[in-house]
Amino acid sequence: MRRPALRSRFLHTLSTLLLSSLVACAPLGPDFREPDIAWLSVWQPDLYGQTFRDPDAPDLSLWWQRLGDPTLDNLMTLARHENPSLQIAGLRILESRAALGIAIGFKYPQLQQIDAAGAYVSEYLHGGPDDDHRDYRTGDIAFNIQWEMDFWGRFRRGIESADASFFASIANQRDGQVLLAAEVATLYYGYKTTLQRIDIARRNITLQERNVEITRKLFQSGQESELDLQQARTQYLATLATIPVLELTRTLQRNALCALLGRAPGDLPELAGVDDHLPDIQQIPLSEAPVNLLLRRPDVRAAAWEAAAQSAQVGVAITDLYPAISLFGTLGWAGTSLDNLPDVSTIAAGPALRWNIFSYGRIENNVRVQDARLQQRLEVFRATVLQAARETDDAASRIAQTHARQGILDASLVAAERSLEIAMRRYQEGYSDFQRVLDAQAAVFAQSDLVVINRGDHVAAIIELYRSLGGGWREASVDDLIPADTRYRMQERVDWGDLLEEPIPATSGEALP
């Protein structure tokens, strides 16, 4: 009688110790800290004078509204609701939220299972003095439960990883907003730039067509040689050949905008009647230093969250080196219709241990694999910050240089127009041949086109600076992420519970702990 009592006391003590350790034991593996970027502390760029600090400046979430173009505002609103890539990013948030729910579920008993079976049995007994036959029914049912306790933090690290992945998906969706805003604005102003270039080409074609008629009449009257006529025709046809190229460019830009709006290629009613005016922006006001804005860029935040998710996976892998300790229980019943056999009820409970002691290096190498992946993620984070700084500096430099070039091109165009006036007067007075007029006209056309191209490049550089600073995203609700009709179809197809209505948590732009 003494041994069962000791066994019972031992099991009780063991269970108490296991439960206490479950609460007290810290999870194995590294606790993630966002790596410091040493050069950021000394990188204080003036961005070539293209930005200025204004504490009262609005944030960059709706930067395109500063351009004062209602058509662009409308396109941005449509793109945010209809863009396929942004909707896919929103669905990935829902996917990662559901995956987080799976990870949380492992905190509770992992096995909760009902087993049941029933059978009709027909037996024939052979070999006795008389063959016999009997029919009977059997049945059994059992409820099994097993709870692997989170002794080493396997499941806590799993939740930590899934939680970080969830926030990474939010950051990726915000990065999609940033890229989408920049792409819509770039295509829109590229479209307007192309309209200007087409207008310049057509005005020159009209002028050059007159030159062809003038030289044809002079040649037919014998006053000029055929050379002037053919040179005039060459210039006219060369300019005429630019129209199909420019029209193709405009079509491609329009179709790209259609794709961003989730529409089939074709006419965009929103662009009907749009003018070719380009905004004139001298400087960009910033409420904070560029360094602070860089660290809050959504792609930088996503890289940090992905590193945090992988850091937790290192801890999950390390727990495989240690025994898995579980509590199990079974409640069962088995019965038969045979009168001479009783029904049986079973109750069993106790601890269980599983330990892969001979893994032949598999577990250790899996830990190394996960750690190598963590280091890769850390390097991706550092590279993302470096790329963000480079893009910001490149965009600001491009703004400064296109601005400086614009002044030179404007002066060059004035000189080309003056040269054309002088060439025309000298030709009319008989002091020079018509070739000087053709050369001057070609110079005016070329300089006019360069002026417009550079002005478009300047606007594109401004858009790129807004993008490189992480402007163009805002907190999104579930309604913003996924259209209502899509959510309705998903709810009809699968029971989503409250996940399709739960608000998206706000995430800080500061560094992770």
Side-chain angles (χ1 to χ4, degrees), residues 114-186:
I114 295 178
D115 296 324
Y120 172 78
V121 182
S122 181
E123 290 185 346
Y124 293 90
L125 304 179
H126 305 283
D130 296 308
D131 289 347
D132 197 4
H133 168 259
R134 61 182 178 182
D135 296 331
Y136 62 93
R137 292 174 298 279
T138 65
D140 63 82
I141 185 169
F143 173 67
N144 301 305
I145 186 170
Q146 183 171 347
W147 182 21
E148 180 182 333
M149 295 176 294
D150 201 12
F151 194 72
W152 312 112
R154 172 199 300 272
F155 302 124
R156 279 172 284 171
R157 289 298 190 194
I159 294 171
E160 180 184 324
S161 180
D163 193 50
S165 295
F166 173 53
F167 283 109
S169 69
I170 295 175
N172 281 322
Q173 194 273 343
R174 290 172 179 172
D175 188 46
Q177 293 184 50
V178 171
L179 297 176
L180 177 63
E183 195 168 0
V184 169
T186 299

Side-chain angles (χ1 to χ4, degrees), residues 256-279:
L257 277 171
C258 286
L260 293 179
L261 299 180
R263 301 182 189 177
D267 291 336
L268 268 180
E270 292 79 9
L271 296 179
V274 68
D275 60 37
D276 58 7
H277 172 73
L278 297 176

Side-chain angles (χ1 to χ4, degrees), residues 457-507:
D457 288 345
H458 184 70
V459 174
I462 291 171
I463 295 170
E464 176 61 19
L465 181 58
Y466 277 121
R467 187 201 67 78
S468 66
L469 292 171
W473 70 267
R474 60 185 178 184
E475 303 284 352
S477 65
V478 175
D479 292 334
D480 296 325
L481 296 179
I482 306 169
D485 58 338
T486 301
R487 295 203 310 276
Y488 174 78
R489 290 195 299 270
M490 294 175 68
Q491 191 70 61
E492 286 290 303
R493 189 168 58 238
V494 175
D495 181 11
W496 274 86
D498 297 329
L499 288 186
L500 295 180
E501 305 299 332
E502 284 187 12
I504 302 301
T507 55

Side-chain angles (χ1 to χ4, degrees), residues 68-281:
D69 193 321
T71 302
L72 178 60
D73 294 344
N74 184 38
L75 289 173
M76 289 291 187
T77 301
L78 292 171
R80 282 176 175 268
H81 286 92
E82 305 296 337
N83 180 256
S85 296
L86 207 57
Q87 291 185 22
I88 292 171
L91 289 167
R92 285 175 179 155
I93 292 177
L94 292 184
E95 177 187 349
S96 61
R97 172 174 266 173
L100 175 59
I102 294 173
I104 292 174
F106 281 110
K107 291 195 306 183
Y108 307 101
Q110 294 84 31
L111 177 65
Q112 304 169 65
Q113 182 176 305
I114 295 178
D115 296 324
Y120 172 78
V121 182
S122 181
E123 290 185 346
Y124 293 90
L125 304 179
H126 305 283
D130 296 308
D131 289 347
D132 197 4
H133 168 259
R134 61 182 178 182
D135 296 331
Y136 62 93
R137 292 174 298 279
T138 65
D140 63 82
I141 185 169
F143 173 67
N144 301 305
I145 186 170
Q146 183 171 347
W147 182 21
E148 180 182 333
M149 295 176 294
D150 201 12
F151 194 72
W152 312 112
R154 172 199 300 272
F155 302 124
R156 279 172 284 171
R157 289 298 190 194
I159 294 171
E160 180 184 324
S161 180
D163 193 50
S165 295
F166 173 53
F167 283 109
S169 69
I170 295 175
N172 281 322
Q173 194 273 343
R174 290 172 179 172
D175 188 46
Q177 293 184 50
V178 171
L179 297 176
L180 177 63
E183 195 168 0
V184 169
T186 299
L187 286 170
Y188 175 68
Y189 284 114
Y191 183 88
K192 298 183 77 167
T193 300
T194 304
L195 289 181
Q196 282 197 30
R197 295 184 66 194
I198 291 174
D199 181 64
I200 291 172
R202 285 175 174 165
R203 283 191 278 112
N204 276 274
I205 286 171
T206 300
L207 178 61
Q208 292 165 7
E209 193 173 19
R210 279 203 306 269
N211 292 338
V212 171
E213 291 304 315
I214 291 171
T215 54
R216 178 179 286 111
K217 290 178 180 179
L218 291 174
F219 168 66
Q220 290 174 348
S221 65
Q223 299 180 47
E224 297 289 348
S225 69
E226 185 182 359
L227 178 60
D228 288 343
L229 171 61
Q230 296 305 329
Q231 288 176 332
R233 290 188 71 248
T234 299
Q235 186 183 82
Y236 163 73
L237 293 173
T239 305
L240 189 64
T242 64
I243 296 296
V245 176
L246 293 173
E247 290 289 358
L248 174 61
T249 300
R250 186 174 68 162
T251 300
L252 296 178
Q253 291 165 336
R254 184 203 63 201
N255 286 347
L257 277 171
C258 286
L260 293 179
L261 299 180
R263 301 182 189 177
D267 291 336
L268 268 180
E270 292 79 9
L271 296 179
V274 68
D275 60 37
D276 58 7
H277 172 73
L278 297 176
D280 183 18
I281 299 174

